[in-house]
Amino acid sequence: MDIKEFKTEEEYLSQMESGALLNPRLDSTFKALFTQPTQESRDALHSFLEAATERKIKHFELRANEAPAFFGGQRSVSYDILCQFDDGLSADIEMQAFNQEYDYGKRAEYQVARLETTYLKKGDNWEKAPIVYQVTVLDFTYDAEKSKKSRSPISRYAMRTKDGRELSNSLNIIFIELTKTKRLEKTLETNTPLENWAIFLKEADNPQKQDIIQKLTNKEAGLMQAKKSLSSISANRDLWIEQYRQEIAERDRRSGLSAMLNKGLQEGIQQGIQQGRTESLIETAKRLIKMGLSPQQVSTGTSLSMEEVLRLFNEK
């Protein structure tokens, strides 16, 4: 995602005074959008859950977002938004604004597996294993090489054989790549509900796309409630401060990576130059050897070590 340049925190916070909306792609805003004690926030989350799971949901409850550890040293799992439905299903919703360059596929698999084990009690038979969903919103492209095969922002993963036979419908992973929503802006009427949610999350705070947001909110009640919830929390100074800090931290991380890359590039160039110089001297030495010069003469003429020159003599 692009990060705006602001000199000071106060300059950044002046956006709030001008009526700008918070960025729903940042973790703190994303959570706040769906977890406020308001009807619009709850309705927005209900709509998003139904769109993501493709199920009708009568009732759901927010749960503690820390998965219990089952043994000492087990890696902890913290969920952004964890919900349990009245029929026993569960869903974890994650927002990833910045690409931290690790394997999001393995992360999602681990999280959905932990979610499954959280709700199966000792003594329960296997039929009681709940259906669980791990929903991740990505504001970047997941696995760019593989993504060339699909233009859709929605990817649904489950355990199946290579010929498509489903092992179980218990573990479900859904990735929503917001970088792929551009083409969907022309097909609002035929998009799936989750595709329109993806457009909303990508453009809700963009002043240049408010005509599209208006069409979306007029079309779907859940998105209308989401816009109301986003507008409400955008008056919260603490959330703007948190957003500013997240963007500064990401800018610093990128600057650090850029500096490391530049340093590595310069070192690589110098190494290449040195390697090229050495290879050139070796070729010169080989020619001198063919001309019948002694090892000492070749070493003096090329500045190569006597050990290296003797090695070349033995290779001829």
Side-chain angles (χ1 to χ4, degrees), residues 153 180-204 209-221 223:
K180 297 181 178 180
T181 60
K182 180 67 177 178
R183 68 180 184 82
L184 297 175
E185 293 177 7
K186 299 178 180 180
T187 56
L188 302 184
E189 295 301 321
T190 57
N191 292 342
T192 67
L194 192 56
E195 286 174 335
N196 280 340
W197 261 104
I199 297 172
F200 176 86
L201 292 171
K202 181 64 176 176
E203 305 295 353
K209 294 295 182 71
Q210 290 309 300
D211 56 333
I212 292 175
I213 297 302
Q214 186 65 49
K215 291 177 182 177
L216 286 174
T217 55
N218 289 341
K219 180 178 182 296
E220 299 186 20
L223 292 175

Side-chain angles (χ1 to χ4, degrees), residues 2-249:
D2 295 329
I3 299 177
K4 300 175 183 177
E5 292 287 348
F6 288 90
K7 295 180 180 179
T8 66
E9 181 176 296
E10 285 305 314
E11 182 182 2
Y12 188 90
L13 295 178
S14 67
Q15 296 177 95
M16 181 182 70
E17 305 301 329
S18 66
L21 295 176
L22 286 162
N23 178 356
R25 299 169 301 286
L26 286 180
D27 183 69
S28 54
T29 305
F30 184 80
K31 291 181 188 177
L33 170 67
F34 289 121
T35 60
Q36 297 303 297
T38 61
Q39 191 61 49
E40 56 261 30
S41 180
R42 188 171 182 82
D43 287 348
L45 180 54
H46 189 182
S47 170
F48 183 81
L49 287 170
E50 288 196 334
T53 64
E54 297 183 321
R55 289 173 173 267
K56 284 296 180 182
I57 299 170
K58 292 182 180 180
H59 181 71
F60 69 91
E61 292 294 339
L62 291 171
R63 296 295 188 185
N65 64 351
E66 191 75 29
F70 299 109
F71 58 87
Q74 183 178 25
R75 177 160 185 163
S76 63
V77 170
S78 180
Y79 305 114
D80 280 357
I81 302 173
L82 181 59
C83 307
Q84 188 171 18
F85 311 147
D86 54 352
D87 57 2
L89 278 68
S90 298
D92 160 46
I93 307 170
E94 302 287 320
M95 179 70 233
Q96 299 292 332
F98 307 115
N99 189 353
Q100 302 295 329
E101 305 295 341
Y102 56 74
D103 194 326
Y104 286 90
K106 289 187 179 297
R107 180 180 187 272
E109 287 178 326
Y110 183 76
Q111 286 187 307
V112 78
R114 286 290 299 275
L115 190 59
E116 172 78 4
T117 59
T118 298
Y119 294 102
L120 190 63
K121 298 179 177 58
K122 185 176 181 179
D124 285 346
N125 59 39
W126 295 116
E127 285 70 27
K128 288 190 176 181
I131 296 174
V132 292
Y133 296 86
Q134 206 283 336
V135 185
T136 301
V137 182
L138 303 168
D139 196 21
F140 51 88
T141 301
Y142 169 67
D143 198 337
E145 194 61 35
K146 291 181 180 178
S147 289
K148 292 177 181 177
K149 299 178 182 179
S150 173
R151 297 174 63 201
S152 173
I154 313 300
S155 297
R156 297 180 182 273
Y157 302 92
M159 297 181 70
R160 293 183 176 86
T161 62
K162 287 186 177 180
D163 60 1
R165 288 179 290 118
E166 188 174 71
L167 176 64
S168 168
N169 66 346
S170 296
L171 306 180
N172 299 273
I173 295 172
I174 303 161
F175 277 6
I176 306 168
E177 298 170 90
L178 302 186
T179 52
K180 297 181 178 180
T181 60
K182 180 67 177 178
R183 68 180 184 82
L184 297 175
E185 293 177 7
K186 299 178 180 180
T187 56
L188 302 184
E189 295 301 321
T190 57
N191 292 342
T192 67
L194 192 56
E195 286 174 335
N196 280 340
W197 261 104
I199 297 172
F200 176 86
L201 292 171
K202 181 64 176 176
E203 305 295 353
D205 60 322
N206 185 349
Q208 307 303 318
K209 294 295 182 71
Q210 290 309 300
D211 56 333
I212 292 175
I213 297 302
Q214 186 65 49
K215 291 177 182 177
L216 286 174
T217 55
N218 289 341
K219 180 178 182 296
E220 299 186 20
L223 292 175
M224 174 66 78
Q225 295 294 73
K227 177 66 180 297
K228 290 179 180 178
S229 181
L230 183 61
S231 297
S232 177
I233 64 175
S234 293
N236 186 319
R237 182 181 176 86
D238 290 339
L239 285 174
W240 278 98
I241 292 174
E242 179 61 27
Q243 177 168 296
Y244 174 73
R245 291 173 179 171
Q246 286 184 59
E247 291 194 356
I248 289 296

